[in-house]
Amino acid sequence: NPKFKFIVDNASIVTADGMPLAKSFNFLYNIKQERIAGMDILPDLIMEADLKNIKCFFYGGTEETLLMTNKFVKDNYPNLQFDSYSPPFKKLSELEEIEIFEKINDFGPQLLFVSLGCPKQEIWMQKMYGKINACMIGIGGALPVMVGAQKRAPLWMQNYSLEWLFRFIQEPKRLFKRYAYTNSKFIYLLL
């Protein structure tokens, strides 16, 4: 996807959030790349934000997930200043987009965690670049895992590049087309 390639190529920071991607660096270039998963960095960033009085905003996810997020953060990081918003599951009008980035900017977060899934979150962050005055971090499905709405794959599955399979078993209807297409295409392009 040329549009998505442009977004990734022009992002401030890009990480390998997926063991198959991280391992492909070694396969292709003999470079040992550590996996940098949103599920691993999100709790660390929130803990640091709590310690250093950094305001956070959670954008994306369902209303239910954000209610669980609010409880989780209040229980575990009582000093963290944060807000959240679950956008409607539809294409937003220009007016709705303006209202959203004004709401975020009015709160004044330094960190904005975007949980829309790939590639939707990357496209949204690129569109909001320069409009939102915060460091935007795409965290994919990390939020529901962090707050306990979903389980994370056991460590052995993570280490053997099978976390995708664990997620698929939890949400087969939602992830079948995505994994059947993207995993096959990834292997084809890798080879």
Side-chain angles (χ1 to χ4, degrees):
N1 182 320
K3 181 180 178 182
F4 186 66
K5 181 183 183 321
F6 176 83
I7 291 169
V8 172
D9 288 347
N10 290 283
S12 299
I13 297 174
V14 178
T15 63
D17 182 4
M19 192 61 86
L21 183 60
K23 286 187 175 190
S24 72
F25 280 76
N26 194 26
F27 177 76
L28 293 172
Y29 308 110
N30 202 27
I31 296 172
K32 292 197 190 271
Q33 171 63 51
E34 182 180 345
R35 177 181 184 213
I36 304 169
M39 292 182 201
D40 295 325
I41 64 170
L42 179 61
D44 293 341
L45 289 172
I46 293 172
M47 183 176 66
E48 284 297 312
D50 184 48
L51 293 171
K52 296 180 179 175
N53 295 317
I54 295 171
K55 292 171 80 172
C56 297
F57 198 101
F58 299 95
Y59 179 80
T62 64
E63 290 286 342
E64 181 183 347
T65 299
L66 291 182
L67 287 172
M68 292 177 76
T69 300
N70 291 344
K71 182 180 180 342
F72 176 87
V73 171
K74 287 176 183 173
D75 290 349
N76 294 283
Y77 306 100
N79 299 318
L80 184 69
Q81 295 179 63
F82 73 97
D83 199 354
S84 61
Y85 179 74
S86 175
F89 287 92
K90 65 176 181 105
K91 184 170 173 41
L92 301 176
S93 70
E94 190 173 324
L95 181 60
E96 288 171 316
E97 286 181 353
I98 291 169
E99 289 173 356
I100 288 169
F101 73 71
E102 285 180 348
K103 173 184 175 53
I104 294 168
N105 285 336
D106 287 346
F107 179 71
Q110 288 98 339
L111 293 176
L112 171 58
F113 298 107
V114 184
S115 181
L116 298 175
C118 179
K120 191 174 178 182
Q121 66 193 17
E122 288 77 13
I123 294 167
W124 186 84
M125 288 186 292
Q126 191 269 337
K127 192 172 189 178
M128 293 297 122
Y129 184 79
K131 297 176 183 173
I132 293 179
N133 305 318
C135 176
M136 295 181 277
I137 303 166
I139 57 170
L143 200 53
V145 172
M146 183 184 78
V147 301
Q150 291 180 351
K151 292 182 178 169
R152 184 158 188 201
L155 193 55
W156 72 267
M157 289 186 89
Q158 295 174 43
N159 291 336
Y160 284 101
S161 305
L162 295 172
E163 191 157 15
W164 69 271
L165 179 60
F166 188 85
R167 290 186 67 201
F168 173 72
I169 290 167
Q170 291 184 90
E171 299 180 90
K173 285 183 180 177
R174 186 176 80 83
L175 296 175
F176 177 78
K177 184 178 178 185
R178 174 179 168 183
Y179 286 154
Y181 176 76
T182 58
N183 287 12
S184 301
K185 183 124 185 192
F186 176 77
I187 292 167
Y188 170 77
L189 292 172
L190 185 62
L191 296 175

